[in-house]
Each structure stands twice: as structure tokens, then as C-alpha cells.
Amino acid sequence: AMEVKGLISAGKEADVYLALYRDVPIAIKAYRLYRTSHRGGGPIKHDSTGWMAAHEYEMTRQAWKGGCLVPAVARRVENMFSMRYLGDEDGPAPRLHDVRLEDPDAFLDEVLRGVEALAGAGVVHADLSAYNILVHDGKPWFIDFSEAIRVDRTGSVPWVRLEEAKVALDRGMRALRAYFGRYDVEVESDVFVERVVRSLDRFGVLE
């Protein structure tokens, strides 16, 4: 039997809970079935939560299969899925945003290697920031693939998918540049994004 122990984090569209399954801690992400209307009145039913959970589950699984530092997913049921819990007896692994790094240059290198590894696994994180990277065992672990883009199968119009990937990477690099700027560490984002996108362009469509 599974026992929910408490809330780990609350997001705009989903919440993450700590649970025990056969005395082993796991994390459960549940997309909300209803969202609050900005125009007042009662809550509005969210019809796409099952699709959103399925998409994030598959993107995270794809990244994990590629050997990336992401929590291994276990099972999905409708609007929720379970995955490895990143943390210890003191609590969940902190977000990068909430950590004071001792060696920010080295950690940035690991983050960039992680982003390249994700791309190599066929996944571009479309909401990359210090809020969606956890620091666990001294390493950057990537979470929240709800908007991730699959790039190993670019479809019949590959330049569209590659342009989407470039926009997402540019946005993520801006967020990382803002975070690492607090340490006066420079992120050479343009060169990095160009290199990653080139590595994805197997057919030379962006030439």
C-alpha cells in the first residue's frame, strides 16, 4: 500500500507529494483537475491534465533512458505519475535557486553538460531555470519536463521543431545567465545554444 506523507512543492498546474511505497520514499506529481478562473466564479475543469501528465512522464522517461540526471519515473495513472524521490532523511533535495554554491564555475559546467546530455537523449527542456534544477549529492538533477520538446524525432518539418528547440534553449540560457550572474560567472549562451542546435540538425536543414 502507498501512504502519502506530505507536500513537497506546489506549482502553477501540479503539486508534488512525498509518499511511501513499501516503506520506500517516492515522489508523486499530480496535475490538478481544476484550475481557478481569473474572471471570478468557481473552478474550471482542466480537460488536458491526463495529456500533460503523459507528456511529462514520457519526456522524463526518455531523458532517463538516455542516461541523464533526472528522477526515474515508475508509473502513470491518469493525471499523476510516480518517480524517484530526490532527497534524504533531512528533506527533499533543494532547488538550485535556493542553494549557495561553493564552486559556481564547476557547477555551471555540469549543468551545461547536463543540457547537452538531454539533447543527446532527444529532449530539450523548455522551462530550464534554477527553479527546475535540484542539487542532489552535489550534482544538478533536472526536473519538470511538462513543456519539454522531443528532438530525436523532428517529424516531416524538422526546421520547425529545431527552431522551437532553439527558442527554448535561448530562454533557458537567459534564466541560467541571470542566476549565475549573482556569482559573476559568465554564461556563453549564444555559442552553447548554437552548438547544441547544430548537434540536433542531422539533416542540415538549418544550413
Side-chain angles (χ1 to χ4, degrees), residues 89-184:
E89 61 275 4
D90 294 325
R95 302 176 303 178
L96 175 58
H97 181 269
D98 302 322
V99 170
R100 182 71 188 174
L101 296 174
E102 293 182 6
D103 190 345
D105 287 278
F107 200 85
L108 172 61
D109 286 343
E110 291 206 52
V111 169
L112 296 181
R113 281 199 296 271
V115 174
E116 286 193 279
L118 286 170
V123 177
V124 166
H125 198 304
D127 192 19
L128 187 65
S129 75
Y131 293 96
N132 287 329
I133 298 172
L134 301 182
V135 181
H136 181 58
D137 291 339
K139 300 282 188 182
W141 289 69
F142 298 87
I143 60 167
D144 195 357
F145 289 85
S146 56
E147 299 176 37
I149 302 168
R150 186 79 180 261
V151 289
D152 60 332
R153 298 196 301 246
T154 51
S156 58
V157 281
W159 57 88
V160 173
R161 186 67 57 85
L162 290 171
E163 282 296 336
E164 289 175 347
K166 184 179 185 304
V167 169
L169 286 166
D170 279 332
R171 185 169 57 240
M173 288 302 106
R174 283 198 300 273
L176 291 179
R177 197 162 61 229
Y179 170 79
F180 282 96
R182 67 169 72 168
Y183 298 101
D184 292 324

Side-chain angles (χ1 to χ4, degrees), residues 38 144 169 199 201:
H38 295 297
D144 195 357
L169 286 166
S199 74
D201 186 12

Side-chain angles (χ1 to χ4, degrees), residues 4-9 14-19 26-30 85:
V4 176
K5 303 297 289 185
L7 182 69
I8 295 175
S9 64
D15 301 316
V16 180
Y17 298 90
L18 171 63
I26 61 172
I28 296 175
K29 184 164 187 175
Y85 168 69

